[in-house]
Amino acid sequence: MFELILITSALLVIFDKKMTNHYFVLAVRLLQILVSSYCLYSNNLGGIANSIESETSSTLLYLFSVIMISYDLEIQKYKRFVKEGIFFLTSVFLVTNLLSISLITTLLIMVLFLYNRRAYFIDYMSIFLISVIALIYFSELASTVLTTKDAYYLYLTSFSEIIFYPLILLFVVVEIARQWGIKRNIRVVLVLIPILLGYKFKFANNVDNSLLYFLALVLLVAIILNGRKVLQSKSLRISTNFLYSISLFTVFTNLIMKQYELAIVSSLTLSLILIIYRLIHREFSEDKSIKSVATSFVLVNFACLPVSFSGLSSLDALGTGVGSLIYGFIVVSMLISILTFCLIIKFNGDHLYINLLESSNKLKMFTVSLFSISLVLMFMNMSPFLVEGKNAHKLIQLIFDTEVETLKEALLGYNLSFIIFLIVTMVIGYFVKVVNENIAWRASFTTNEFLKNISFSKYKYKVIKKSENALSNTKIDERSEIELSSFNVSFFILTFFLIISLIIIEL
Amino acid sequence: MIIIFLIFTIVSLFLRIRESDNIQECIPFLSVSILSWISFLLYFYLDKTLYMFATFEVTSFLIVLLLGTKVERFYQLKFIAFFMLSLLYIFDGVFKQDILYLYVLISTLIALVSKFKIDAKITFPFLLFNIFSMMKVRELVESSISIYIYTIAIIVVLILLLRERCRSFSGDSLFLIFLLWTGIFTFTLELHFLLSAIFMLLTVLILNSFRVKKVNELSDYLLYLISIIIMIPVSKISLPLAIMSLGLFSICLFLNKKEHELLIGVSHD
């Protein structure tokens, strides 16, 4: 399989300047992906693939991620050899079973990206982190005997034992935090590969939780600091990126809670949504109404609304009974996400508004299909708290070939948090609707100045502490209630609140 | 390993011939390559250490005396090296390995420092010859003080980098290349690592001496990758030192890229 990829990629590089048709490259790429995934599926691999011990179980994972990554690369203006190199390295990374090869490929991919991207200091921090990870791993490997599947966990010094897995997670944090700025876009490769690296090294995760909590705090602070840019520019692109990074925070908490499959699948789904959005924006760059439909699709799916994909996944993360600190972090991130969503709708509502009933058939079809896509994504990722084990996390069951157990015990906590979440969403939405735009702008301006002037860490710490206190109070109340609730009750309450809010708006 | 050297010789010949219009200009370059290959083959057929040593000395003297400039510096350094070897006799073989190690270090310095008058690109085959000889000597020399010397060298290089405000992180900088060479010589690396490190080091040298367009920017990243490989055995001695030097190197990479962007313009995305 790699022979095919290598030969065709080399041909593409050589004939790059002579090819005038853009679709020819895409066709070759599709052929490469299809043939190599067929080879993986039928376990009919070549010499190179066998020499790196390729794995056969997750053909679907390979297919999904490679398609998304290669589309994401093709729309860039990188040089041809860089694109082909990254494609080859990612396919090696996805297929291989050896930890050492996956580390080396990660390192090389990061270096190739360094060569192409605008220089920011955080990029070099990430390359430093991955090189230190490689350093520790290979120095261990040189001193210990290789066992089957590289599953060594014998550390040279106690220091490297403490430092190793947190470094991988810190690498994930830095990668998520450096994804976007005013002048750069999110690259799917750089989101997926660190999370997959964390999955591959999952047996090394035997560290104390408090370190991991600290990492989550770092990521949350980084995200909140990025939120300043949303306040400054109010543009749709930046706010979608911001919402995406908040959804990635939930993915990161999944990673901390050792639910690696869930983290991978939800990051895949998020990237799929992003790719669909980009595809529509590129193909229909003339048609404004279709673009605004796509934008609202992506906003609804990324924001932590009670009906959206990322909202449900954050609720799922809340329901799994994590420590109170992580609970607080997730709640803060959800609140920020809802607030951002409401503010975006307030600022850009006129741009996004479309009269669907009087529009063309094409637009109607687009809307219906996007709506059904988001419904399908939601049902493929239903949490086991809502449905039976057979239907829960359908995508994980498909990709990783595992089974999810039916849960009955933690139902109460999940439903209560669902209800509180609904109420909070209503309240914030109503609050943002009522508040005058000038006041909102002034508030955002002053907070921006405030963030600029005062040292960040103290301020953030206070905010988090406050929300944490509030949460711990409410949690005690929840648990003292009687076991009555279920998903139906929460649904009734949702409709009840909808009616009440309608009445308020009408008044 | 010999295949890597063969590949690099062919590539360098190709680049040299493509560069000049007249084939006669390339004759010194060709003759140096051929001389170095003759000595490679002699290394294989001569078993005794003394003969190998003689081959190395004769070839390097021939090349430098025929084509080199600043011969007096070459003589000075050679004198120090031979003085080291004479210590071997004085101490009656007590510090044999340590003295040989120092001798190899001085020979590396000679190879890096020497320059050629007719054609500046002769540096590359001369360095190739020296690296190959070093790989041969690797099997013979095993010194216990080498690790300490190397640790001191890393610290010195870090201080030098800081003094020059991290600007000299490139294939041109003498002390960095010297550090990497001695790193390959000092530690017993695993075979794959050794081969890839030599491959990348030779690539950096060829990029530096021939100034190939487009790819020339990559040499910084290659240097960084080699330094990761060298730091793997260093991390067994002290992990903090290895991590610290990698951190400084990545800062250097950042500053180099920033400077490059100021000169040429920003890259995509």
Side-chain angles (χ1 to χ4, degrees), chain A residues 489-506:
Chain A
V489 175
S490 60
F491 185 71
F492 288 135
I493 290 176
L494 166 67
T495 44
F496 177 60
F497 264 90
L498 271 175
I499 293 162
I500 285 180
S501 56
L502 275 176
I503 291 167
I504 291 170
I505 292 165
E506 284 302 305

Side-chain angles (χ1 to χ4, degrees), chain A residues 17 76-79 81 104 107-108 111-112 114-122 124-125 127-129 131-132 134-136 138-143 156-157 159-160 163 183-185 187, chain B residues 190 193 214-218 221-222 224-225 227-236 239-240 242-258 261 266-269:
Chain A
K17 281 176 185 168
Q76 293 311 306
K77 283 177 187 172
Y78 298 157
K79 282 170 190 161
F81 77 90
I104 291 172
L107 186 65
L108 290 178
V111 168
L112 272 176
L114 274 195
Y115 175 62
N116 262 288
R117 292 193 119 186
R118 197 186 295 265
Y120 289 107
F121 188 63
I122 196 163
Y124 293 81
M125 261 168 70
I127 198 90
F128 167 63
L129 284 175
S131 57
V132 168
L135 182 77
I136 292 174
F138 284 114
S139 64
E140 313 277 327
L141 205 64
S143 63
L156 204 65
T157 58
F159 180 60
S160 57
I163 210 177
K183 285 168 187 170
R184 58 164 47 167
N185 261 320
R187 292 278 81 84
Chain B
E190 210 179 308
F193 288 140
K214 292 181 186 175
V215 234
N216 214 6
E217 305 152 25
L218 280 174
Y221 302 114
L222 281 177
Y224 186 72
L225 290 179
S227 61
I228 293 173
I229 293 177
I230 302 291
M231 286 306 153
I232 289 168
V234 176
S235 70
K236 278 185 203 166
L239 190 63
I243 291 176
M244 210 168 68
S245 40
L246 276 183
L248 193 66
F249 290 156
S250 51
I251 290 171
C252 292
L253 263 185
F254 169 65
L255 290 175
N256 278 8
K257 175 86 175 178
K258 210 70 184 167
E261 277 183 2
V266 271
S267 37
H268 308 293
D269 199 2

